[in-house]
Amino acid sequence: MKCTRCREPAEVKLRSHNSAFCRECFLLFFRRRVERAIEHQEMFRRDDRILVAVSGGKDSLALWDVLADAGYRTVGFHLALGIGGYSDRSRERSESFARSRGLELRVTSLADENLAIPTVVGATRRPACSACGTVKRHYFDAAALEAGCNVVATGHNLDDEAARLLGNVLHWQVEHLARQRPVIEPRHEKFARKVKPLYLTSEFETATFAFLRGIDYVVEECPNAVGATQLAHKAVLDGLENASPGTKLAFVGEFVTRGSAGFQPTERPDAERSCSSCGMPSWGETCGFCSLRALVDRKTGRAATVADDPAEDRRP
Ligand code: AMP
Ligand code: ZN
């Protein structure tokens, strides 16, 4: 097997691209694909400041590696979730990557905020991934604002996006389909633009890139994610990809270029108020995150005041 680009012996075979690459040409191919996604989707430019959300996994570290090498102005942000040894290792990998590259990494520890994910789940009885999503959204926006970044980049890859798209299609979640885009513009000046530069890059490709670049990343999945429906969707998609290489690329790529225009999000009024607690944009007196925080404080005996929380209504 020879490299499609330079005819030297190939080391990486990509059936979905009908190509094979030697080490150097694969790295070039990968970086070019990420750059092209950034340009085609107008994610950001050289003068933007980008907060890269790094989990310590292969995708976000590979993304940070590419962006920093390409000369973009980046700041890393890691949210230490407080999920036992998994979170300790995730933080450690993020920090050692930043140190080895001389890059700036900011870390917020949820345990320090009395918001470690197990604490939040215990207090609110919300599913872990949903509580974690609310908390992450708040801290990503807050960290971007604090670091003077107008863009937040995450490492969601093609496999993540394909599984999410399949889930949304299976249940015809039209609102979610309308919002599943590689670029989400902010609806308030205090919020950042959210971008996914790896949305057309497969998990195999990011893992290969991380390996060839010598990036030491956390291999284990979040313990809360095991058994999640998304894993079942991924397995189905892997089967389809095996039978017909390129399926995931077509599914996600064509959805973004042609399909998604058919789904428009319902108009919601912009947040005109500021949360009385954290100061971030809010639709009510306090934002969703601060309602959650108030509930956790109350349940864990940290707060004197009782705040109403809409999540209470959803409890069984
Ligand atoms: P996940 O939801 O775990 O699949 O992660 C998707 C993306 O969100 C990752 O590629 C990161 O960019 C970001 N992310 C997830 N967890 C964290 C974290 N604890 N701290 C910072 N960024 C994160
Ligand atoms: Zn708030």
Side-chain angles (χ1 to χ4, degrees), residues 87 138 211 251 262 291 315:
S87 288
H138 171 81
F211 172 74
F251 189 42
S291 310
R315 286 194 201 167

Side-chain angles (χ1 to χ4, degrees), residues 15-34:
R15 286 177 73 210
S16 57
H17 293 279
N18 202 16
S19 306
F21 295 108
C22 71
R23 210 166 259 248
E24 283 310 309
C25 290
F26 173 77
L27 295 176
L28 190 74
F29 163 85
F30 186 91
R31 292 182 176 119
R32 278 198 180 156
R33 280 191 64 77
V34 178

Side-chain angles (χ1 to χ4, degrees), residues 52-56 59-60 63 77-81 86 136 140 153-156 160 222 230:
V52 186
V54 288
S55 61
D59 304 304
S60 47
L63 173 62
F77 176 69
H78 177 75
L79 190 62
L81 303 173
Y86 163 74
K136 274 181 193 158
F140 289 0
T154 54
H156 292 94
D160 297 327
C222 170
Q230 219 196 29

Side-chain angles (χ1 to χ4, degrees), residues 117-170:
I117 296 302
T119 308
V120 174
V121 170
T124 64
R125 284 183 246 159
R126 275 177 60 174
C129 297
S130 137
C132 196
T134 301
V135 172
K136 274 181 193 158
R137 267 193 301 282
H138 171 81
Y139 281 103
F140 289 0
D141 275 313
L145 191 64
E146 200 182 304
C149 295
N150 57 329
V151 179
V152 172
T154 54
H156 292 94
N157 62 37
L158 176 65
D159 294 70
D160 297 327
E161 293 305 294
R164 188 164 155 215
L165 181 58
L166 181 62
N168 286 340
V169 166
L170 288 175

Side-chain angles (χ1 to χ4, degrees), residues 18 28 60 71 80 83 106 118 130 154-155 189 194 233 269 284 290 294-295:
N18 202 16
L28 190 74
S60 47
I83 309 176
R106 298 178 177 216
S130 137
T154 54
E189 61 186 17
K194 308 284 165 30
H233 292 160
C290 287
L295 178 65

Side-chain angles (χ1 to χ4, degrees), residues 275 277-278 287 290:
C275 170
S277 176
C278 72
C287 70
C290 287

